[in-house]
Amino acid sequence: MSRVIKFAKAGGPEVLQFVEVDVPAPGPDEVRIKVKAIGINRAESMWRTDIYIEPVAFPAGLGYEAAGVVDAIGQNVTDVAVGDSVSVIPSFSMNQYFTYGEVVTLPAYAVVKHPTSLSYEEAASVWMMFITAYGALVEDAKVGKGDFVVISAASSSVGLAAIQVAAYQGATPIALTRTPAKKKQLLDAGAAHVIATEETDLVAEIMRITDGKGARVVFDPIGGSNFPKLVSIIGFQGIIYLYGALAEGPAHLPVLDMIAKMPVVKGHNIWLTSGDEARRKGAVEYVVKGLEAGALKPVIDRTFRFDEMVDVHSYLENNGQFGKIVVTV
């Protein structure tokens, strides 16, 4: 028997319920894991409120990331064995699999051995943040020396990963944050410049930093009414990646700036990379290499206990964290 978390209707954190279930033996191409830590993502909050990129089939589980020990394997599984320490790559629908549980079953392709230098808490946090950033900045934009990369909501886990990935590629990461409260932390995390958008003219400051050329890449999880400013700071034929919807409203497009600058605006999510076997393998190799070199390092804001999951979601939605929220099991 295992405790897992499910919810029968969309709503606030209070809809999350602990349920005792019998976790069966894994089927073909599946792995059963005794969970040690769970990484928490904004996507799970959106899933709980049924405003995610796919509709929820109730009653539903939730969770994309975890780390733990392999408890059993199904037929055809060869990459991991019972007793291995592993972590989970977000690459499946939460209508089919989930990670919020003491013992969970997952598709074998999503389960990988992580560097032994990582704790379970760190291993539960790395894949969503780094593969999301890698997919946009490395696979697609191929950022490098001379490129300016503007990163909105920079103190989020994916924002911090984007800072590290951009710097690892030799580009110049520019972190955006609302107030100067987190400026030193962002500089320590690798940002070359930090702009507090509530007290600084964003467009003027970006143009100053880039000598009037604008940024080549903007990596943004917000959208909304401030989106025209991101178009204003992009260079000619630059790229803007939208990978979230924190503003929850439509992103406004400044038509004349779009015509003048001819930017590419792309929706982005982890699935483009993690949903393809070859790309997923390349991403894992890249992240592992970066972790081993010390260029990439997960930043954990706070850890909670599994029993505190309702509080975890409330804390997540307060938007005050710096880095990843992790739950220990």
Side-chain angles (χ1 to χ4, degrees), residues 91-143:
S91 52
F92 46 84
S93 167
M94 286 186 284
N95 278 324
Q96 297 176 299
Y97 297 97
F98 58 87
T99 61
Y100 284 20
E102 294 170 330
V103 178
V104 296
T105 300
L106 293 154
Y109 64 78
V111 178
V112 295
K113 298 177 185 177
H114 51 257
T116 57
S117 59
L118 296 182
S119 67
Y120 285 117
E121 291 80 9
E122 290 172 325
S125 75
V126 295
W127 300 120
M128 179 69 89
M129 67 166 77
F130 285 120
I131 294 180
T132 301
Y134 163 88
L137 304 184
V138 180
E139 267 195 326
D140 195 69
K142 298 178 174 59
V143 301

Side-chain angles (χ1 to χ4, degrees), residues 289-304:
K289 182 179 178 181
L291 290 167
E292 291 176 341
L296 306 181
K297 183 174 177 57
V299 179
I300 295 176
D301 171 78
R302 182 176 170 184
T303 59
F304 288 81

Side-chain angles (χ1 to χ4, degrees), residues 205-244:
E205 186 64 5
I206 291 293
M207 291 306 163
R208 183 192 69 79
I209 292 169
T210 64
D211 292 328
K213 296 177 182 178
R216 179 169 168 248
V217 174
V218 171
F219 192 59
D220 177 57
I222 302 173
S225 60
N226 283 326
F227 190 73
K229 288 185 179 180
L230 301 185
V231 178
S232 296
I233 64 176
I234 202 74
F236 183 67
Q237 292 187 323
I239 309 171
I240 302 175
Y241 294 98
L242 274 169
Y243 72 94

Side-chain angles (χ1 to χ4, degrees), residues 305-318:
R305 292 179 291 106
F306 187 51
D307 290 338
E308 299 175 302
M309 192 63 82
V310 171
D311 294 335
V312 170
H313 273 235
S314 296
Y315 181 75
L316 171 71
E317 291 170 357
N318 283 333

Side-chain angles (χ1 to χ4, degrees), residues 2-136:
S2 167
R3 285 192 308 161
V4 302
I5 294 177
K6 294 200 171 187
F7 61 110
K9 63 179 181 179
E14 69 278 358
V15 301
L16 300 177
Q17 300 290 323
F18 289 89
V19 181
E20 288 274 355
V21 298
D22 181 20
V23 183
D29 303 305
E30 290 184 333
V31 176
R32 192 171 68 190
I33 298 171
K34 287 186 176 179
V35 177
K36 299 290 188 182
I38 301 166
I40 306 299
N41 297 287
R42 176 67 58 174
E44 292 139 24
S45 170
M46 297 176 72
W47 180 252
R48 193 201 69 234
T49 52
D50 202 8
I51 57 170
Y52 195 47
I53 56 177
E54 64 173 315
V56 179
F58 296 105
L62 69 172
Y64 273 137
E65 289 185 285
V69 178
V70 175
D71 176 56
I73 59 174
Q75 293 179 351
N76 309 322
V77 176
T78 57
D79 290 340
V80 297
V82 173
D84 284 346
S85 292
V86 295
S87 50
V88 180
I89 297 174
S91 52
F92 46 84
S93 167
M94 286 186 284
N95 278 324
Q96 297 176 299
Y97 297 97
F98 58 87
T99 61
Y100 284 20
E102 294 170 330
V103 178
V104 296
T105 300
L106 293 154
Y109 64 78
V111 178
V112 295
K113 298 177 185 177
H114 51 257
T116 57
S117 59
L118 296 182
S119 67
Y120 285 117
E121 291 80 9
E122 290 172 325
S125 75
V126 295
W127 300 120
M128 179 69 89
M129 67 166 77
F130 285 120
I131 294 180
T132 301
Y134 163 88

